[in-house]
Amino acid sequence: MFDPTEASLAQLREALADGRLTALELTRWYLDRIERHNDELRAVIEVNPDAEAEAARLDEGPVRGPLHGIPVLLKDNLDTADRMHTTSGSTVMLGSRPARDATVVARLRAAGAVLLGKANKTSWILGTAGWSARGGQTRNPYDTDRSPHGSSSGSAVGVSANLCAVALGTETIGSILGPAAANCLVGVKPTTGLTSRAGMIPGIPSFDSIGPLARTVADAADVLSVIAGPDPLDGATEGAPILDYRTFLDGEGLRGMRIGVPRKVFYGYSAAADEIADAALETMRRAGAVIVEGADITTADRFAGPELGAVAMHETASALGRYLARTPGEHPRTIAALVEANRENAAVELEFFDQDILEMLAGVDPDTDDPVYREALATVRRLAGAEGIDAVMDEHRLDALVMPTCPPPWPIDMVEGDPDPHGAALAPGLAGYPAISVPAGWTEGLPVGITFTGRAFSEPVLFRLAHGFERAWPSRRPPAR
């Protein structure tokens, strides 16, 4: 049988097409990997009980699309209208029964993907990256005492440890980019509004996006091409382009491109990450890129002001409240009811961490037409976008910015939780702009990534750069398992 370990989507498609592999065989291969490794890694929160039946049906029918027969994991905040649950890692949400697939999930099905299961994620109670009451603590496959980063931790670990071919994650600020770097993957945080969030348990809608986690840039481009585009169920996607992102992959994609280095704020928090990023810059220079130093985002030290807190509280209270109220099933229908259900199940839900954030959200007036909120959102967008990324790119005539994605994975600490966040995700997250993290190197056996970011809907440029860098400096290594 064809060995799927570290196989690209193109290689899997070829094996499926020429009969060396069937969708059912491939699905069973990944299910066996999950059976053997998930007790240690805690990446998969639930296996789809219908995965094998879905794969068998695909083997009998015509090719549906570019993901025909490809097993995919979904983060456990993406709705599926099937026998799987959508719980955001919460045991008190096990009675939730979404009425329809999330739009991105429906597009995966239409393209022929096998929905292999749901991936663990960081609980909405927060605490440590990758911990949830339902799924336990997700662990980094390169060192199980180290963080997998969050919150798309299970999705990332699943792909990195070859428990699936590709996965979907969601990002508010750092939840795709960070896990990608910590698990030696490519992670794409699309422009907010490129991929529909309909059917997603929300974070902060102005910043939320859904994107792929994959072992190669080409695989990530494959998946984004399937899930991106307008959706009437998510007004933010109006006018979103429909593109085949594979057409932008260019092995010489770095040549002649002007890449800015924003050392202020986005470097300097990790000597190891800086060293790897500097080596990556030299690789890009040798590959023909023009590296522009001093391309600092001058507004970066004002990103985390009171306006951000105001936006986060108002939008999360409103969006999460609406999701709970409209989703069918036996589960808490308000944030206040969710808080109370957690108290009643404190031995499980609050075993390690309290729920201060949920309790604050329960007391927030969710009126998103509040002029104070609207002004706060405009300020955040302006500082990160027009006066931030856009301004520095205009000043230096840049095609993109590049920086370390985040520090190397830190030790898991179930008492103190995670260290203060640092990394590349804040600027594109608050601006709603795209970013791609790519493996860039290693320190003490742990992976480190770099992130390319740019203007809204500049995914074609970022894919060109990321693929060019991946070809010039291949750094993906599978974990030893």
Side-chain angles (χ1 to χ4, degrees), residues 268-320:
Y269 54 81
S270 166
D274 282 359
E275 181 178 354
I276 288 168
D278 284 340
L281 291 172
E282 182 56 33
T283 296
M284 291 181 230
R285 187 179 289 110
R286 291 197 304 269
V290 178
I291 304 301
V292 181
E293 292 284 353
D296 291 320
I297 300 174
T298 58
T299 55
D301 56 2
R302 290 187 278 156
F303 285 173
E307 295 87 0
L308 176 56
V311 172
M313 295 304 290
H314 277 270
E315 288 202 7
T316 305
S318 176
L320 180 56

Side-chain angles (χ1 to χ4, degrees), residues 367-376:
D367 179 10
T368 53
D369 290 324
D370 179 355
V372 175
Y373 152 73
R374 291 291 180 189
E375 183 176 351

